[in-house]
Amino acid sequence: MKKFFTAVLIIFAFAIQGNTQELRCNVTVSARGIQGANQNLFRTMQSDLYEFMNNRKWTEHVYSYDEKIRCNILIRLDEQISADEFKGSIQVQLTRPIYNSSYTSTVLNIKDNDFHCKYVEFQPLEFNETSNRDNLTNIMAYYAYVILGFDYDTFSEEGGTEFFQKAQSIVNNSQNARERGWKAFESERNRYWLIENVMNKSYSSFRTCMYNYHRLGLDMMSERVEEGRANVANSLRDIQKVFRRRPSTYILQMFFDAKADELVNIFSKSYPDERNRVMAILNEVDPSNGSKYEKIAENEGL
């Protein structure tokens, strides 16, 4: 009898592991800008979105708890159009643990100002991959797949393609949506252009950079600092290729929004020749953060 219960427990444990979801996503909904609003509504919304992101299976892969992808979503609601319709922004952050260290690297830090949704308290959130019936779940699912795509890209070359394709399908299905954020003509930096840039073969060196920067660069630095740092430096040449092809590409802004401070920290501890090469690239491709990159030349770690 004891062996029977032991076997049942083992099977149960494997069943739980097999159904473990991929995301460890912290979701915050803030509606402080909406005067007189029922704050209980937004607390329920936050709870529902947390469940939607964390309790749904987004892939066919098996994850242990420690392997879950860590991300944060902050939704700021600034305008209440009707009893169940809201406008605001959504900020999405993805972090990645670095091999054999306690350090986590920011992979994504996106702010999307075209957040427009309907939400009815206690009504189940439904997502349909083939329609644009619910803009709220479309946005959340879109960013879930973007998070997965970028995370997988940092562990294997173009490993996130299947998830980027799913995000692109959501964009395609949303071309008739009345809400902003899905169409090319509405902005040069929105959900449409994010996924277009990532999937555009003309900018494929961006995805090469994401792999080389993280897997061959940061992951190597815990054991071979100089070699790993050199690989990070070399990966910036791929970013330079994208810049020289199209300087205003949205993914360039995304990259440096996530990486500018980290690059300063990495190369402030580098050799003069390497620092000079890196600064030359950074000042060309990201002049808006030039004052930050001056710290590299000072040879002072942050």
Side-chain angles (χ1 to χ4, degrees):
M1 181 65 69
K2 183 176 180 181
K3 290 182 178 179
F4 171 80
F5 281 115
T6 301
V8 169
L9 288 173
I10 292 172
I11 293 170
F12 181 71
F14 274 105
I16 291 175
Q17 185 182 45
N19 289 318
T20 299
Q21 287 73 17
E22 302 84 358
L23 303 182
R24 193 194 304 185
C25 184
N26 181 45
V27 179
T28 303
V29 176
S30 173
R32 295 176 183 175
I34 301 177
Q35 297 294 325
N38 176 10
Q39 295 301 315
N40 288 330
L41 172 71
F42 304 117
R43 282 190 281 270
T44 305
M45 181 180 182
Q46 176 175 295
S47 177
D48 285 348
L49 293 177
Y50 177 89
E51 296 290 329
F52 180 81
M53 295 298 289
N54 290 288
N55 290 349
R56 184 183 179 92
K57 279 291 290 178
W58 298 100
T59 78
E60 299 296 325
H61 304 154
V62 175
Y63 278 69
S64 69
Y65 180 79
D66 291 337
E67 292 173 331
K68 283 175 176 278
I69 298 169
R70 298 179 184 182
C71 50
N72 297 290
I73 291 179
L74 171 61
I75 296 170
R76 293 187 185 275
L77 300 176
D78 303 316
E79 182 180 357
Q80 184 168 4
I81 300 170
S82 65
D84 63 356
E85 190 170 2
F86 308 91
K87 282 186 176 182
S89 64
I90 179 170
Q91 187 164 358
V92 179
Q93 296 177 327
L94 164 65
T95 59
R96 176 195 189 279
I98 299 306
Y99 176 73
N100 202 26
S101 78
S102 60
Y103 179 68
T104 58
S105 176
T106 300
V107 179
L108 283 179
N109 186 14
I110 307 168
K111 186 177 182 184
D112 177 348
N113 290 317
D114 290 322
F115 187 83
H116 184 176
C117 74
K118 285 190 173 184
Y119 172 77
V120 178
E121 193 172 15
F122 307 123
Q123 180 173 300
L125 297 180
E126 297 181 359
F127 170 61
N128 188 325
E129 291 190 0
T130 62
S131 76
N132 65 346
R133 185 170 58 185
D134 182 8
N135 202 55
L136 175 58
T137 54
N138 279 356
I139 292 174
M140 301 302 288
Y142 169 87
Y143 280 117
Y145 287 127
V146 166
I147 287 167
L148 286 162
F150 273 96
D151 186 75
Y152 275 67
D153 262 15
T154 68
F155 285 100
S156 63
E157 292 188 75
E158 298 195 358
T161 297
E162 65 174 297
F163 308 115
F164 289 135
Q165 288 172 339
K166 287 180 178 292
Q168 193 167 48
S169 293
I170 296 173
V171 170
N172 293 339
N173 293 333
S174 300
Q175 289 306 293
N176 294 323
R178 67 185 180 90
E179 299 90 352
R180 290 176 55 86
W182 301 111
K183 305 177 188 70
F185 64 84
E186 293 172 337
S187 169
E188 292 185 351
R189 296 178 178 180
N190 62 8
R191 294 186 289 275
Y192 175 93
W193 286 111
L194 188 162
I195 204 65
E196 191 282 337
N197 286 179
V198 170
M199 297 297 288
N200 192 325
K201 292 298 183 182
S202 297
Y203 312 136
S204 61
S205 56
F206 171 80
R207 296 181 68 185
T208 301
C209 169
M210 294 302 288
Y211 173 73
N212 290 336
Y213 183 108
H214 294 91
R215 191 71 188 96
L216 304 184
L218 295 184
D219 281 347
M220 187 178 290
M221 287 183 69
S222 64
E223 297 178 349
R224 300 192 294 276
V225 174
E226 294 177 8
E227 186 176 348
R229 189 172 57 215
N231 288 338
V232 173
N234 289 334
S235 75
L236 296 178
R237 296 186 185 278
D238 291 315
I239 291 294
Q240 189 179 44
K241 292 177 185 177
V242 177
F243 176 84
R244 290 180 175 178
R245 185 173 288 272
R246 186 164 179 252
S248 61
T249 306
Y250 182 27
I251 50 177
L252 291 176
Q253 178 193 331
M254 288 170 38
F255 180 82
F256 290 111
D257 283 348
K259 295 300 186 184
D261 290 334
E262 183 173 78
L263 287 165
V264 172
N265 190 37
I266 292 170
F267 292 106
S268 292
K269 303 161 187 173
S270 181
Y271 298 111
D273 286 349
E274 188 174 62
R275 290 204 309 271
N276 291 336
R277 289 196 304 272
V278 166
M279 285 189 64
I281 294 174
L282 294 178
N283 287 327
E284 177 187 352
V285 301
D286 188 29
S288 63
N289 281 315
S291 59
K292 286 186 178 182
Y293 300 138
E294 289 177 1
K295 296 177 183 177
I296 295 176
E298 298 170 3
N299 195 23
E300 292 179 358
L302 297 183

